[in-house]
C-alpha cells in the first residue's frame, strides 16, 4: 500500500523514537488522523515548545525554562550547596525531588560511560562537574548513577577523578533493583537508598 507522503513522514518520525516500532508508529499516526484536530495541534505546539522554551541550567545541566541561567534548585538559597548528587538524566532529578528527602543540589551527567556505544568522559558533563568541585563549596558528592554495569563503572571512574580533590564520595545504597532506572524506583526505596548511602573506595 502506498501511503500519502504526510502520513509516511509522520510514521517515519515516530519510528525514530526509542521503543517505538513501525507498527506502533503507524497506529499512532492513524490515531491522530482520526482524532479531533486539536489533538494534533496541541501535540505540534508542545513539540515545538519542547526545544524553544527550554534550556540547560549552566550550573547543574538540568533542564530549566528558556532564558534562565540557573534552574530553580541551583538558584535556591535554601538548598544545601555542600551536598551534590550526581545523576545520569534530568528524569533522575525529578525522581529524587519526588522523595522530598534531598536538600542538596544536583549535577546531571547526561548519560553514562559506555565504551560499546563510544561514549567517553568528554561526552558527559564530567569536566563541568570537576570544575564545580574545584570551587570548594561541595563537601560530599553522592554518586546516584543507576545500579547498572555502566552506572557502576561511571561511578567508579568519577570517584577516581575526584580523589585528588579531597571531597567525600558516597554511592547510593543497594536495594534499588539492579539494572533498573532511578527514575522508575518508588520514592520510599529511593529515600532508603539515599539515607543508606555508603562511602566509596
Ligand atoms: Zn541547576
Amino acid at each position: 500500500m502506498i501511503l500519502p507522503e504526510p502520513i509516511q513522514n509522520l510514521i517515519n518520525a515516530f519510528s525514530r523514537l526509542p521503543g517505538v516500532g513501525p507498527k506502533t508508529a503507524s497506529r499512532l499516526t492513524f490515531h491522530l488522523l482520526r482524532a479531533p484536530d486539536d489533538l494534533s495541534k496541541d501535540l505540534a505546539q508542545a513539540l515545538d515548545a519542547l526545544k524553544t522554551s527550554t534550556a540547560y541550567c549552566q550550573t547543574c545541566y538540568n533542564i530549566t525554562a528558556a532564558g534562565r541561567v540557573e534552574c530553580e534548585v541551583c538558584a535556591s538559597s535554601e538548598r544545601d550547596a555542600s551536598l551534590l548528587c550526581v545523576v545520569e538524566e534530568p528524569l533522575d532529578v525529578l525522581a529524587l525531588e519526588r522523595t522530598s528527602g534531598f536538600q542538596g543540589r544536583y549535577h546531571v551527567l547526561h548519560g553514562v560511560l559506555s565504551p560499546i556505544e563510544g561514549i567517553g568522559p568528554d561526552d558527559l558533563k564530567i569536566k563541568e562537574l570537576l570544575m564545580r568541585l574545584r570551587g570548594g563549596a561541595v563537601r560530599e558528592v553522592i554518586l546516584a548513577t543507576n545500579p547498572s554495569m555502566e552506572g557502576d563503572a561511571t561511578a567508579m571512574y568519577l570517584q577516581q577523578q575526584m580523589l585528588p580533590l579531597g571531597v567525600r564520595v558516597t554511592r547510593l545504597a543497594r536495594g534499588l533493583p539492579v539494572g533498573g532506572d532511578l527514575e522508575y524506583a518508588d520514592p520510599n526505596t529511593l529515600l532508603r537508598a539515599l539515607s543508606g548511602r555508603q562511602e566509596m573506595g
Side-chain angles (χ1 to χ4, degrees), residues 144-147 172-182 185-186 189-191 193:
T145 49
N146 288 332
L172 284 190
R174 296 286 160 186
L176 293 167
V178 173
D181 277 6
L182 232 63
D186 74 275
T189 308
L190 202 47
L191 208 53

Side-chain angles (χ1 to χ4, degrees), residues 79-84 104-105 137-141 167:
R79 304 294 294 237
D80 185 354
S82 71
L83 190 58
L84 198 64
R105 299 188 180 183
V138 178
R139 281 188 291 111
E140 180 185 347
V141 173
V167 61

Side-chain angles (χ1 to χ4, degrees), residues 26-196:
S26 304
R27 213 165 50 224
L28 290 171
T29 302
F30 281 97
H31 177 83
L32 285 168
L33 202 58
R34 282 189 306 265
D37 287 356
D38 61 333
L39 179 57
S40 322
K41 284 209 184 87
D42 289 351
L43 195 61
Q45 265 168 22
L47 285 173
D48 189 49
L50 183 67
K51 289 290 193 173
T52 57
S53 305
T54 55
Y56 288 118
C57 170
Q58 289 307 296
T59 303
C60 74
Y61 296 92
N62 192 12
I63 288 164
T64 187
R68 288 188 75 125
V69 179
E70 282 195 318
C71 69
E72 279 173 42
V73 173
C74 289
S76 166
S77 57
E78 278 161 32
R79 304 294 294 237
D80 185 354
S82 71
L83 190 58
L84 198 64
C85 188
V86 176
V87 296
E88 293 180 21
E89 303 289 349
L91 278 175
D92 300 329
V93 173
L94 209 65
L96 284 156
E97 284 298 284
R98 257 191 248 118
T99 69
S100 311
F102 180 69
Q103 290 309 311
R105 299 188 180 183
Y106 297 98
H107 191 88
V108 183
L109 295 171
H110 288 277
V112 272
L113 296 174
S114 172
I116 294 170
E117 287 175 55
I119 300 168
D122 290 344
D123 300 308
L124 308 176
K125 299 291 179 196
I126 292 178
K127 267 197 315 282
E128 291 81 354
L129 169 65
L130 297 174
M131 208 133 79
R132 257 180 109 176
L133 296 179
R134 283 189 197 102
V138 178
R139 281 188 291 111
E140 180 185 347
V141 173
I142 304 169
L143 295 173
T145 49
N146 288 332
S148 62
M149 224 161 74
E150 286 93 349
D152 284 340
T154 305
M156 224 110 96
Y157 175 84
L158 289 176
Q159 191 230 352
Q160 292 298 314
Q161 296 295 306
M162 287 187 274
L163 271 180
L165 299 172
V167 61
R168 182 181 176 208
V169 182
T170 55
R171 179 92 170 103
L172 284 190
R174 296 286 160 186
L176 293 167
V178 173
D181 277 6
L182 232 63
E183 57 177 286
Y184 302 124
D186 74 275
N188 286 331
T189 308
L190 202 47
L191 208 53
R192 266 202 307 276
L194 197 60
S195 61

